[in-house]
Amino acid sequence: MPPPALPIRTLVVSAAAPIADDVMAVELSDPAGRDLPVWTPGAHIDLRTPGGHLRQYSLCGDPGERSRWRVAVLRQPAGRGGSESIHRSLSVGDRVRTGGPRNRFALVPATTYHFIAGGIGITPILPMIAAVAASGADWRLLYGGRRRAGMAFLPELSRYGPQVTIAPQDETGLLDLPGFLSRPRPGAAIYCCGPEPLLAAAQREARHWPEASFHVERFQATATDPGEATGFDVVLHRQGRSVRVEPGQAIIEALEAAGVTVPSSCREGICGTCETDVLAGVPDHRDTLLSDAERAANTCMFVCVSRSLTERLVLDL
């Protein structure tokens, strides 16, 4: 079954302040003081920015604190305007529309944890570290950024002592991924979040680890081979009808044109909102969420970006 639509709620900005160069921490609370939904480390929410953009931000506070959610927003002047509108226009007392939480980067049981964060990629990893540290499990963090002044949450991380390695590029050069990932450990898990060059480098260095060890979350879609732009039919199993997807048209666009609504958010294959079960046919997976094993299983797909390798694709819709 596809996931339900993320619950939409209006929250109030209870705090908003810079915590590093070009990084703002924003806390959100229920206007009536009600508890917010439970979440787990790695979860993100949708947030409608003052400029009208819909963006996903990782929750980086304490999951046990039900009265507020915290996110951190990196200002990206060359972006599409979402982060700029938050930094320029969002103030304490403002009300914002949010959806979620949803978790496609969940913390799995492991004998030891290797956390790798680049820049704002520390946000989903911060609550993971708190949870793992509280459990008594073995862990360590390698955290890089361009400059120390731009790296968020350094005071919070300082209490963990030598388990945390802070490595600003202007002081230490590139992260020592070969050393950090030199020795695979049975039952270990690697969690990595940050800019695409870091993720690609970490994945290369972890190639001698079991595939299931490596967990990654991306903040932007990776380039994919568009392949041959052919049309195909999507069969809506529960509705008993078919929808034609034309060359160059996204599945979700064809569904919407036919009056079929599928929950969606990013439209880039990175947030997981539009996950849909596949009953027959072979998807052409173009998301950045599924592992190789999940892609090979062909039991689900993300209809905002993925297509079909067969002339007919049967979906549980």
Side-chain angles (χ1 to χ4, degrees):
M1 295 284 290
L6 294 177
I8 303 299
R9 56 181 54 82
T10 298
L11 301 181
V12 63
V13 178
S14 52
I19 54 172
D21 289 352
D22 291 327
V23 180
M24 176 181 287
V26 178
E27 294 183 1
L28 305 170
S29 304
D30 184 272
R34 294 181 291 260
D35 281 351
L36 296 176
V38 173
W39 61 279
T40 54
H44 69 258
I45 61 170
D46 295 340
L47 191 152
R48 183 73 65 179
T49 73
H53 308 83
L54 187 64
R55 297 289 182 265
Q56 290 75 44
Y57 295 106
S58 296
L59 291 169
C60 56
D62 178 0
E65 175 56 78
R66 297 288 304 280
S67 66
R68 60 180 179 171
W69 284 341
R70 182 177 68 171
V71 299
V73 181
L74 171 67
R75 172 182 267 144
Q76 297 178 298
R80 292 176 291 172
S83 66
E84 278 287 329
S85 70
I86 288 176
H87 276 257
R88 291 181 178 179
S89 305
L90 199 66
S91 301
V92 172
D94 288 350
R95 298 200 175 199
V96 294
R97 298 279 282 171
T98 67
R102 183 185 296 283
N103 199 339
R104 291 282 313 180
F105 194 45
L107 194 62
V108 300
T111 57
T112 186
Y113 295 87
H114 291 61
F115 296 110
I116 303 169
I120 201 64
I122 191 63
T123 51
I125 288 176
L126 194 66
M128 291 184 180
I129 289 173
V132 169
S135 75
D138 179 55
W139 66 275
R140 54 186 182 144
L141 165 69
L142 181 61
Y143 177 23
R146 292 178 181 173
R147 297 176 296 108
R148 188 179 297 268
M151 298 173 68
F153 302 116
L154 294 185
E156 291 188 33
L157 291 168
S158 65
R159 69 176 184 267
Y160 296 117
Q163 287 172 279
V164 174
T165 299
I166 304 298
Q169 187 174 345
D170 63 346
E171 298 177 20
T172 64
L174 296 176
L175 293 181
D176 181 19
L177 295 174
F180 193 70
L181 299 174
S182 61
R183 184 166 59 91
R185 301 178 64 176
I190 303 167
Y191 278 83
C192 184
C193 187
E196 186 58 36
L198 171 64
L199 305 186
Q203 198 155 20
R204 287 195 301 271
E205 294 300 334
R207 61 187 178 275
H208 56 296
W209 291 62
E211 181 190 342
S213 302
F214 194 78
H215 305 266
V216 64
E217 181 169 68
R218 289 178 163 86
F219 290 144
Q220 62 186 41
T222 56
T224 57
D225 181 356
E228 186 178 356
T230 58
F232 53 93
D233 292 317
V234 168
V235 177
L236 312 181
H237 176 72
R238 280 184 270 159
Q239 298 190 25
R241 63 183 178 120
S242 295
V243 173
R244 183 68 179 174
V245 181
E246 300 296 342
Q249 183 183 35
I251 293 177
I252 198 166
E253 293 172 347
L255 293 175
E256 288 171 344
V260 180
T261 300
V262 176
S264 68
S265 178
C266 71
R267 305 260 172 155
E268 294 182 323
I270 60 174
C271 77
T273 306
C274 67
E275 181 177 353
T276 304
D277 286 348
V278 177
L279 303 180
V282 181
D284 178 8
H285 297 289
R286 302 186 182 190
D287 63 274
T288 58
L289 290 163
L290 297 178
S291 66
D292 289 344
E294 289 171 325
R295 290 177 181 227
N298 286 326
T299 57
C300 69
M301 68 183 301
F302 299 96
V303 295
C304 66
V305 292
S306 299
R307 296 182 64 77
S308 180
L309 296 175
T310 50
E311 294 182 0
R312 183 173 175 268
L313 198 61
V314 183
L315 302 181
D316 188 19
L317 292 172

